[in-house]
Amino acid sequence: MKAFEEALQKLAEAKGFRPEPRPLLEQAFRFITTSDKPSFLILQAPTGYGKTLLSFALAVHSLYDASIFDRVIHVLPMRSIIEDIQKTAEEAFRFSRTKMMGSSGEFLHLFPLNITTADTFTWDLLKLNTKKRHRVKAGLEFGYDYLTQASILTSLVILDEAHFLVEDKSMVTAFLSVVEFLTSQRVPVVVMTATLSEAHRKIFEKYANKNGYEFRVLTPQNGDPFIERELKKEIEIEFKTGNPLEFIEPGKRNAVIVNSVKRAVELYDEVLKSPGFWPDREKVLLIHGRMTPSHKRKLIEQLRKWKNEEFLLIGTQAVEAGVDFSVDVMVTDRAPINALLQRFGRVARYGGERKARIIVLEDAPPGPYPEDKVEKTVKLMKETKILPRVPETYQSIVTEVHGSKPSSINKNVNRELKRELLKLMADPTKRATLVLDTIESLTAGGVSVMRGFLIPLLVGDETVLISPRKLMELYSRGEVRVVRVSGQREEELQVRGLNDAYSVAKSIALGKDIEVIFTGQYDMERGIP
């Protein structure tokens, strides 16, 4: 436990808190570092529990003992969550490296702690370095294909917030391909999640048992200091209809979380036009996914400074995970239970806070979520009293909404694509050039390998991901240029409708030299509405 204690102490010093016992994380650390077989651990702990401490402790352990794994790779479902972990790792340990598309020149996972996105991690397992794509296509190099994959296969892999990936129809096939390949190579795996259904557990257990792993699910029990503290909190959950701004309480810390950028911007503008909702305009923040990374960083830093002051935050799913703040009042659009629990994790989040109020809007638009899961969530939550950070109070709802049988997940899996991805990962004759040819062929045929066809929009020297529909909208307003680059020549491309927008997205996914450049005036309050 030397590495665990060292990591806890360094983290406490960097964050300025008094270390508190975390028996669940200690149990997880012992299991991983003493198992005779490869370990497959599901760590099911609520938001705010401090699960990332395990990642840091295992990275420190690898410095003392590399007999089981010689580094840790921490995989997250989205870029927005990475920044907080990376910042903490640098402050406390100074031994981590972030690796994601467009952010780093590193091609190997060689640091004690490597933090990456699920997309980049999947490309690396496929032996395709996205930074080297054009040179691979030109036949000039293989882009470190075997070396990149090999640096993963000697690591311990932590798949954090895994429920996002299992429930994402555009990502579930690639994600389960990754899990199957890692377990076929007997790589130690940790799945971290706050919301694990029985169907999720059974899928992971199947892969683990098939390849001779020691499989375990750990969740905090009564007697855990964190759970005991949460049981004493008074968090009231109500169901209402109407304008979310009618339920905020000036003088307190408030968050309004809605399901779309458009709705968030409209509410923000309504607050600014109607001082009766919130008189202090300087204490109103808007955060959503169509803001530049530097803009979001500035806003999050401001939010941290207001830790003990009143404020009103209006946001989208972009603040569900990875943004460390706490509120007294949360008003939220209805959503599936896993999304709501992530949002609720920002209510009375800190140890000394005892009371909070949550209002779930029953009449809010359910999109982008499946309406059946949203409606089932609201129905079951009305029937069951839950505490947002006590798993035993909400676990039955998670399983009922997301299923108890693997078939509820597998129905979204493209089996042909999964077989193809596994072949590309596992077959040593499939080098980067062949992998790229196959991916291009699949994409040209309309198969989205990962994340749908999102488009990187250049805003200055930063990137914001947008959908083809948003590209079409911006183009129609004259706020973007679409340029194909060929040597020293630039060719302007037209976007006359949604089909053209999808063609641009597919071309970018195929690695073609196309840039989508924002030419409008970036709004330092609203981002790209």
Side-chain angles (χ1 to χ4, degrees), residues 230-518:
E230 291 300 318
L231 287 168
K232 294 174 183 174
K233 292 184 178 180
E234 298 175 31
I235 298 179
E236 181 183 2
I237 301 177
E238 307 168 57
F239 295 87
K240 303 282 188 181
T241 60
N243 185 341
L245 299 177
E246 298 287 349
F247 305 106
I248 62 177
E249 298 182 32
K252 296 184 177 180
R253 300 169 303 169
N254 291 256
V256 176
I257 310 299
V258 295
N259 293 343
S260 71
V261 174
K262 182 175 184 289
R263 182 162 156 83
V265 173
E266 287 173 351
L267 289 170
Y268 179 75
D269 287 339
E270 188 175 352
V271 170
L272 299 187
K273 290 174 186 174
S274 308
F277 285 123
W278 193 270
D280 187 356
R281 174 174 176 162
E282 298 302 315
K283 288 293 183 71
V284 183
L285 283 184
L286 171 69
I287 300 179
H288 59 71
R290 288 207 296 267
M291 291 173 161
T292 62
S294 63
H295 186 186
K296 276 190 285 190
R297 279 196 298 273
K298 182 180 177 183
L299 294 171
I300 292 167
E301 197 57 44
Q302 184 62 63
L303 199 57
R304 287 184 177 129
K305 291 177 182 176
W306 292 342
K307 183 175 180 179
N308 299 310
E309 302 176 36
E310 64 175 297
F311 62 79
L312 171 59
L313 167 66
I314 299 174
T316 63
Q317 299 91 327
V319 301
E320 277 182 18
V323 181
D324 185 13
F325 68 95
S326 181
V327 296
D328 309 301
V329 179
M330 174 172 285
V331 186
T332 173
D333 282 355
R334 59 184 180 146
I337 183 66
N338 57 333
L340 288 182
L341 287 169
Q342 288 292 325
R343 298 175 192 186
F344 295 173
R346 273 72 203 158
V347 173
R349 182 177 178 86
Y350 304 130
E353 299 171 356
R354 290 287 176 262
K355 291 186 177 182
R357 183 175 178 228
I358 296 171
I359 297 94
V360 178
L361 298 170
E362 292 185 77
D363 58 342
Y369 304 107
E371 190 164 2
D372 59 332
K373 290 189 175 184
V374 173
E375 291 179 350
K376 187 178 284 189
T377 294
V378 172
K379 175 180 180 295
L380 293 171
M381 284 183 60
K382 284 183 170 183
E383 298 169 356
T384 309
K385 178 176 173 56
I386 73 168
L387 288 170
R389 287 180 290 271
V390 180
E392 69 175 8
T393 68
Y394 58 72
Q395 184 56 49
S396 61
I397 299 178
V398 172
T399 290
E400 191 155 348
V401 170
H402 294 295
S404 60
K405 297 179 179 178
S407 57
S408 64
I409 305 297
N410 288 330
K411 68 182 179 182
N412 295 321
V413 175
N414 181 331
R415 298 188 183 281
E416 282 189 36
L417 174 60
K418 186 164 177 276
R419 279 194 295 271
E420 193 63 59
L421 292 178
L422 283 168
K423 188 192 304 179
L424 294 174
M425 291 176 190
D427 188 343
T429 68
K430 307 293 186 186
R431 298 206 65 178
T433 48
L434 286 171
V435 171
L436 181 56
D437 287 345
T438 304
I439 295 297
E440 287 187 344
S441 176
L442 288 167
T443 306
V447 176
S448 176
V449 177
M450 285 179 281
R451 300 285 188 187
F453 293 112
L454 291 177
I455 298 165
L457 176 67
L458 294 176
V459 183
D461 58 356
E462 298 185 89
T463 299
V464 175
L465 294 177
I466 61 171
S467 67
R469 190 173 295 279
K470 191 64 186 177
L471 169 61
M472 182 181 71
E473 178 190 323
L474 292 172
Y475 188 88
S476 68
R477 299 204 305 249
E479 294 183 346
V480 293
R481 291 174 61 227
V482 182
V483 177
R484 179 188 288 126
V485 181
S486 177
Q488 299 298 313
R489 289 181 58 248
E490 288 188 357
E491 176 190 357
E492 294 272 352
L493 300 181
Q494 303 296 310
V495 181
R496 301 180 185 86
L498 196 55
N499 285 340
D500 285 348
Y502 270 103
S503 293
V504 169
K506 285 184 181 181
S507 295
I508 292 171
L510 289 170
K512 295 183 179 176
D513 280 338
I514 292 178
E515 291 184 346
V516 180
I517 304 162
F518 184 65

